[in-house]
Amino acid sequence: MFAIQDYRSGIKPVFCPGCGDYGVLSAITKAFADLQLDPDNTVVVSGIGCSSSMPHDFKCYGIHGIHGRALPIAEGVKLANSELNVVVVGGDGDGYGIGLQHLIHAARRNINITYIIMDNEIYGLTTGQASPTSSFGQKTKSTPFGVIEKPINPMSLLIASGASYVARGFSGEPMHLAELIKNGIKHKGFSVIDVESPCVSFNKLNTFEWARRVVYKIEGHDPKDLSKAMEKAFEFELNPAKLSIGLLYESDRKTYEELEVELKGNKVLAKQDMLGADDILSFLDEYNV
Amino acid sequence: MDDITIRIAGANGDGIESAARILAKAIGKNGFHVFGFRSYQSIIRGGSVWFQVRASNKKLYSIGNRIDILVSIDIDGIRNNTEMLDENSVVIYDSKLGNLDKMLNELTKGKRLKSFGIPILDNAIKVGGSIYRNTYIIGLIGKIMGLSPDSIHSTIKEVFAKKPDVIPNNINAADAGYTAESDLRFKIEVNERKGDKYLLTGNDAIAIGAAAAGCKFYAAYPMTPASTILEWFAAHENHGVMYKQPEDEITAINMTIGAASAGVRAMCGTSGGGFSLMVEALGLAGMLEVPIVIIESQRGGPSTGLPTKTEQGDLLFVTHASQGDFPRVVIAPRNIEECFYEMSNAFNIAERYQCPVIVLIDMFLSEHIETINVDPSSIKIDRGLLVDKPKNDFKRYEITESGISPRSIPGTKGLAFVAPSDEHDEYGNLASDVAAGTPEGIEIRKRMHAKRMRKLDTMLKDGAIKMPLVINENADIFMVTFGSATNSCIEAVEILKGKGISAGVISFSYMFPMHTEKVKSLLSGKRLVDVECNYSAQLSKLIKMYAGIEIKDAILKYDGEQITSREISENMYKIINQK
Ligand SMILES: Cc1ncc(C[n+]2csc(CCOP(=O)(O)OP(=O)(O)O)c2C)c(N)n1
Ligand SMILES: [Mg+2]
């Protein structure tokens, strides 16, 4: 039986007082405990950013990688040992900016990993430049005349890319968020939870007050209905006063690991013996003279 | 005679390559050592290509400096390939092209070599169609060389094992070529079979060598000349090595780091352009102390450069790429056998010293074929300091004298830790945030950085890093070289000997780190000429930087073709005589 504290390193998080990421940290911890994940069998992988420091807050295995590359690292871990619980955490810059290509391809693969993106619509660690989800017109340190790019729509992008569990949460609703994360981890396939997680230091637009005003919980929605899910995914883009939280889309399709020939029959790469001289001789046989 | 060189030329898409491989295999079955190489361009169809196969009863080091028999199925194949022809060469062409004697005489400036028009295409059509043209040529050459018909038949059966219905026609085509009227004879005497067992390319040897070294994961984005490594792994999926073609090279190396972190031997491969994309993650492997192997097969640079041509222009790049200092090892195998055996050394070093190892090859080494012998049972695996006993106070990055710390892998009970790309303490906790700049933070940075870097000293002391190979240690003058240029230097030694020059070779295969003092004393007091395939004498610079020896003379080649023993010996002769 693992208790909440069995998951936490006890290291003081680096987040500013009042940062949204505290709520995400407790929600992830609660989800781990609810699912009774073995910390020694769990790997938390991240890139770089304030939010990406989170692996240090857990008492699990962790890889705190480089900016934008958390997913490829996590995919490598999962392919090598598909018995591990692999959870990726990071920011909007990490996931939707520098690492965007990896997000789309991980979604296509439907690899059985859970990705929690703490979306504060800003680059926090580098002290407040615009991110791919910053609002159109938003003034930031790097956009004194306002953002002139349309923000990424993570929900529609993820659904279109093939992610099989697409949800949005709010760090101000940690219990609700913990449920989303828990179900995401239980889900077989690539699950993504985009979390509205306000930055109290650098984003004066997407504040907790703003979020409380626009966020509402999805009810009576069928997440298996692709066109309804897409409709929900576009809602905020069309009406910035409505940011839905909850499960938008879920589909049931084979995971990457299930389709990978080297893992057929629940094989675990890391537990297999290395090839022996006889195997190599049979490869060499093709080249006999 | 004891040495024969055949070049088959034609258009891209004519199947020259597979024909030449069949020929090479059949020659190999007759007990000769075979060395071959193809030249092609970065287009899919059209363009003039050739494949050269050289056979001998002695060990060969190159595709040779001249051609005995040129076979061409088109006019361009003749026009583009006369440079290596001489008075003793023979040209065979399809008589459909008309009588080419006059053209050849002009092209070869009156060398008066023999040439024959043979109805290659017509004879192939008689057997079953124009696609049998190549096999007809194989039969014809087999006859000229005195190969046993049996060796040709069994090669055809092996090569087409998966397409049995094409075997009879191919055998008929080969027999038709074999019985063609021709009294040409270029017969090599076989002294004794040298014991070569396999006909491999460098990339075949890299892939099989990696599998033999226990590699379980290979990730690569296609890029010539490394692509045939991924093709090998793809063709052997479901045999115990997982292969992934991800969205780019950044992904390839980061996946490799993830897989290696989870405890499997993992590798990625690319050419210089893809390696450029991998550079940030190379440093990540250095910082996390994750053992990975990276294959870098060089082609002509810069930028897209010469995609199908060879060069050794990435040496300084791979030995110094990525920000900051961290331990890495760069190994440049010299030949196909070394491609096979150095893979297990690369993985053993990566795991023992918990650092990235780069295996630096090049287009010529990747793609040329050679008959070799390797023995997989001689391979030893050393997985380094992997721990699995639960420990209360586990320090993944423990500061040790050797610099090597105990490594646990996810899933192991009681040994969890976080591997951070930020500077960290012995547990993996950040030393980069609140601690940075504090007296404790400064101290841990100094000690942790020095710990990592100490691994370089440890591997040098342990004997993991090989010294250069020295040939003819008492020679008057030495060619200093590395990697695949070595073979041509070895061949040049013989040519120079014939001119009364006592030359030797000092060849590096372990490029970094360098045995500073030992290399310095090895090179001191010797007359040295640097030989390598790049513009700026990168090996010379590396030697000057780490061993403090300046090599003034250099023979450099950067036209995309492999440097030849003739070019080396002629230039050596000039260098010797100008002083
Ligand atoms: C290759 C690279 N480019 C830039 C940086 C600098 N950098 C560090 S974090 C970051 C952005 C962080 O934003 P986000 O991912 O949204 O995380 P947050 O801090 O907001 O949680 C940047 C640009 C880096 N570390 N590496
Ligand atoms: Mg952010």
Side-chain angles (χ1 to χ4, degrees):
Chain A
M1 188 67 195
F2 299 104
I4 290 282
Q5 62 270 22
D6 293 327
Y7 294 99
R8 295 288 276 273
S9 65
I11 287 170
K12 190 175 171 294
V14 298
F15 314 131
C16 302
C19 174
D21 294 353
Y22 283 108
V24 184
L25 177 58
S26 41
I28 299 176
T29 313
K30 182 171 187 313
F32 283 4
D34 284 356
L35 293 169
Q36 285 293 296
L37 301 187
D38 179 350
D40 286 329
N41 226 28
T42 303
V43 190
V44 184
V45 184
S46 70
I48 295 293
C50 296
S51 43
S52 288
S53 71
M54 208 173 268
H56 294 280
D57 303 322
F58 291 103
K59 209 195 266 175
C60 305
Y61 280 89
I63 302 176
H64 182 186
I66 46 178
H67 193 30
R69 316 301 167 201
L71 272 179
I73 296 171
E75 288 170 274
V77 170
K78 186 73 185 179
L79 289 170
N81 187 346
S82 39
E83 288 176 353
L84 296 170
N85 313 302
V86 179
V87 174
V88 182
V89 294
D92 43 322
D94 212 64
Y96 303 139
I98 190 166
L100 182 65
Q101 76 270 44
H102 309 307
L103 180 67
I104 294 170
H105 291 280
R108 283 177 59 218
R109 291 180 187 117
N110 198 32
I111 187 161
N112 193 7
I113 284 177
T114 300
Y115 188 12
I116 298 150
I117 302 187
M118 284 158 261
D119 189 353
N120 53 10
E121 293 90 0
I122 203 84
Y123 283 7
L125 190 63
T126 46
T127 69
Q129 300 83 1
S131 99
T133 47
S134 294
S135 305
F136 186 82
Q138 184 169 357
K139 290 198 167 115
T140 70
K141 223 184 224 180
S142 60
T143 55
F145 297 101
V147 173
I148 57 170
E149 288 140 318
K150 176 182 176 297
I152 290 238
N153 179 340
M155 297 292 101
S156 62
L157 178 76
L158 281 160
I159 296 169
S161 304
S164 56
Y165 181 100
V166 182
R168 181 160 44 213
F170 172 39
S171 64
E173 294 277 359
M175 287 308 186
H176 178 258
L177 178 60
E179 277 309 300
L180 290 176
I181 294 172
K182 201 165 92 183
N183 292 332
I185 294 172
K186 278 204 300 208
H187 172 82
K188 265 179 38 188
F190 190 56
S191 52
V192 188
I193 300 107
D194 171 280
V195 187
E196 176 53 47
S197 181
C199 169
V200 294
S201 298
F202 300 109
N203 192 335
K204 302 296 173 222
L205 196 68
N206 306 102
T207 60
F208 268 104
E209 297 69 54
W210 164 82
R212 290 219 168 82
R213 215 167 42 238
V214 297
V215 159
Y216 79 97
K217 287 186 187 138
I218 299 175
E219 270 163 41
H221 166 72
D222 176 10
K224 304 251 177 201
D225 185 329
L226 177 63
S227 54
K228 286 272 157 50
M230 266 300 186
E231 216 170 279
K232 267 272 168 277
F234 275 99
E235 185 180 54
F236 176 69
E237 202 172 316
L238 300 170
N239 179 3
K242 286 189 89 161
L243 188 68
S244 57
I245 58 170
L247 178 61
L248 274 77
Y249 181 64
E250 186 173 23
S251 74
D252 184 21
R253 67 182 178 99
K254 281 223 157 40
T255 66
Y256 200 46
E257 302 90 297
E258 285 170 329
L259 294 167
E260 165 57 46
V261 285
E262 289 294 344
L263 301 181
K264 281 266 154 69
N266 290 325
K267 268 193 284 183
V268 174
L269 214 54
K271 292 188 176 169
Q272 286 181 278
D273 289 337
M274 291 176 173
L275 296 179
D278 286 347
D279 302 303
I280 304 308
L281 284 171
S282 75
F283 290 146
L284 284 166
D285 259 356
E286 290 171 43
Y287 301 87
N288 265 338
V289 292
Chain B
M1 63 193 298
D2 51 25
D3 189 334
I4 170 170
T5 303
I6 300 140
R7 181 178 286 196
I8 306 177
N12 207 357
D14 279 347
I16 301 293
E17 194 205 349
S18 39
R21 276 186 178 241
I22 295 172
L23 176 64
K25 197 165 180 161
I27 298 173
K29 282 189 192 293
N30 285 268
F32 304 120
H33 186 221
V34 180
F35 200 110
F37 184 60
R38 71 169 169 150
S39 166
Y40 64 107
Q41 296 118 359
S42 194
I43 53 174
I44 307 306
R45 283 197 74 92
S48 197
V49 300
W50 55 257
F51 203 115
Q52 188 159 320
V53 178
R54 185 179 175 204
S56 174
N57 51 16
K58 301 205 188 83
K59 171 146 178 66
L60 293 170
Y61 294 93
S62 78
I63 54 167
N65 291 313
R66 57 176 298 279
I67 293 170
D68 289 298
I69 306 173
L70 170 67
V71 186
S72 181
I73 50 184
D74 61 15
I75 294 267
D76 278 347
I78 295 195
R79 210 173 267 142
N80 295 335
N81 289 295
T82 52
E83 203 189 290
M84 287 217 240
L85 300 177
D86 60 28
E87 294 73 16
N88 299 316
S89 308
V90 171
V91 177
I92 298 171
Y93 57 88
D94 198 316
S95 49
K96 261 212 151 37
L97 301 172
N99 187 327
L100 301 184
D101 291 354
K102 198 164 146 262
M103 181 184 119
L104 265 166
N105 200 36
E106 271 164 28
L107 284 169
T108 59
K109 303 190 184 69
K111 277 183 189 155
R112 305 206 164 281
L113 40 81
K114 284 193 227 117
S115 61
F116 299 89
I118 289 182
I120 298 173
L121 185 63
D122 286 348
N123 286 334
I125 288 169
K126 268 185 222 154
V127 178
S130 60
I131 51 161
Y132 297 106
R133 196 163 53 172
N134 293 329
T135 320
Y136 179 87
I137 292 171
I138 293 165
L140 181 66
I141 296 173
K143 172 71 171 296
I144 295 172
M145 287 183 68
L147 303 183
S148 78
D150 234 25
S151 65
I152 300 175
H153 292 174
S154 59
T155 302
I156 289 172
K157 285 179 199 151
E158 283 166 33
V159 170
F160 295 110
K162 284 185 184 134
K163 290 186 262 175
D165 42 319
V166 306
I167 292 175
N169 274 355
N170 272 293
I171 288 186
N172 291 343
D175 287 349
Y178 204 86
T179 50
E181 262 178 56
S182 156
D183 45 16
L184 268 177
R185 286 295 174 272
F186 282 83
K187 197 163 169 8
I188 309 176
E189 300 310 324
V190 191
N191 299 336
E192 65 191 60
R193 191 167 157 74
K194 286 177 49 272
D196 286 333
K197 286 192 184 152
Y198 312 113
L199 180 77
L200 294 179
T201 66
N203 279 357
D204 294 333
I206 291 275
I208 302 171
C215 176
K216 289 217 158 289
F217 184 86
Y218 183 65
Y221 187 84
M223 186 167 192
T224 309
S227 299
T228 47
I229 302 173
L230 77 79
E231 283 162 22
W232 191 92
F233 283 109
H236 294 84
E237 264 193 328
N238 211 10
H239 285 79
V241 186
M242 188 187 288
Y243 159 66
K244 285 289 151 227
Q245 180 190 319
E247 54 270 27
D248 55 27
E249 288 89 348
I250 297 176
T251 315
I253 186 170
N254 282 287
M255 274 187 172
T256 302
I257 290 171
S261 301
V264 303
R265 286 195 158 184
M267 168 168 107
C268 53
T270 184
S271 186
F275 185 78
S276 296
L277 293 185
M278 293 182 175
V279 165
E280 191 191 14
L282 175 71
L284 176 66
M287 189 58 149
L288 302 186
E289 306 197 43
V290 173
I292 61 165
V293 174
I294 305 164
I295 308 296
E296 212 267 57
S297 180
Q298 303 158 98
R299 62 195 215 184
S303 195
T304 307
L306 292 168
T308 62
K309 295 289 162 192
T310 201
E311 194 164 276
Q312 296 180 297
D314 299 350
L315 176 63
L316 289 177
F317 178 39
V318 302
T319 46
H320 298 93
S322 212
Q323 70 269 28
D325 288 314
F326 59 91
R328 84 189 71 197
V329 176
V330 179
I331 305 176
R334 304 174 181 99
N335 53 49
I336 294 178
E337 262 124 351
E338 288 190 2
C339 283
F340 180 84
Y341 287 116
E342 290 301 347
M343 289 314 299
S344 49
N345 292 335
F347 276 104
N348 288 345
I349 290 172
E351 287 207 299
R352 263 179 82 168
Y353 304 99
Q354 301 174 16
C355 69
V357 176
I358 298 159
V359 177
L360 183 67
I361 51 176
D362 55 54
M363 196 268 175
F364 185 80
L365 189 49
S366 276
E367 296 202 345
H368 87 264
I369 50 171
E370 208 182 320
T371 48
I372 60 155
N373 194 12
V374 290
D375 174 14
S377 67
S378 68
I379 282 171
K380 304 247 171 334
I381 307 286
D382 177 354
R383 300 218 55 187
L385 198 53
L386 273 180
V387 291
D388 57 7
K389 301 256 166 337
K391 204 166 169 230
N392 258 341
D393 191 37
F394 177 57
K395 293 176 175 171
R396 162 66 182 103
Y397 297 105
E398 187 178 345
I399 292 175
T400 60
E401 184 103 350
S402 63
I404 300 166
S405 316
R407 185 164 82 97
S408 67
I409 55 174
T412 315
K413 294 274 166 283
L415 295 174
F417 69 99
V418 178
S421 66
D422 283 65
E423 190 56 282
H424 44 265
D425 66 13
E426 292 181 284
Y427 300 96
N429 296 330
L430 298 189
S432 56
D433 49 17
V434 283
T438 63
E440 301 79 49
I442 290 171
E443 192 55 26
I444 193 65
R445 156 65 175 181
K446 273 179 14 194
R447 293 181 64 217
M448 189 55 68
H449 202 30
K451 170 208 107 82
R452 278 190 299 270
M453 295 307 288
R454 262 201 308 280
K455 293 190 287 185
L456 287 173
D457 306 321
T458 305
M459 62 178 82
L460 285 163
K461 271 192 226 120
D462 283 356
I465 304 301
K466 293 180 190 166
M467 277 289 285
L469 170 79
V470 181
I471 292 170
N472 263 358
E473 53 183 324
N474 298 316
D476 297 333
I477 187 164
F478 289 87
M479 295 164 260
V480 181
T481 190
F482 79 100
S484 82
T486 307
N487 268 344
S488 297
C489 292
I490 294 175
E491 207 174 62
V493 168
E494 285 307 303
I495 301 177
L496 289 164
K497 200 161 148 197
K499 296 191 176 179
I501 295 165
S502 157
V505 179
I506 297 175
S507 164
F508 288 77
S509 64
Y510 279 60
M511 313 310 298
F512 188 88
M514 198 180 277
H515 286 280
T516 304
E517 288 306 319
K518 285 195 211 156
V519 168
K520 188 173 180 174
S521 67
L522 172 67
L523 299 181
S524 293
K526 292 192 172 73
R527 191 159 173 204
L528 308 171
V529 178
D530 172 67
V531 181
E532 49 183 313
C533 286
N534 60 59
Y535 183 89
S536 60
Q538 297 190 12
L539 174 63
S540 270
K541 292 196 164 92
L542 198 72
I543 291 171
K544 189 174 172 193
M545 181 150 72
Y546 290 106
I549 298 281
E550 182 148 6
I551 305 174
K552 295 221 172 57
D553 289 304
I555 300 170
L556 303 168
K557 180 153 170 161
Y558 47 88
D559 63 3
E561 304 298 330
Q562 181 69 347
I563 195 161
T564 66
S565 56
R566 180 188 284 178
E567 289 164 329
I568 297 171
S569 52
E570 281 170 5
N571 281 291
M572 285 291 285
Y573 205 68
K574 273 189 214 147
I575 289 168
I576 290 163
N577 289 322
Q578 84 198 352
K579 302 228 172 106

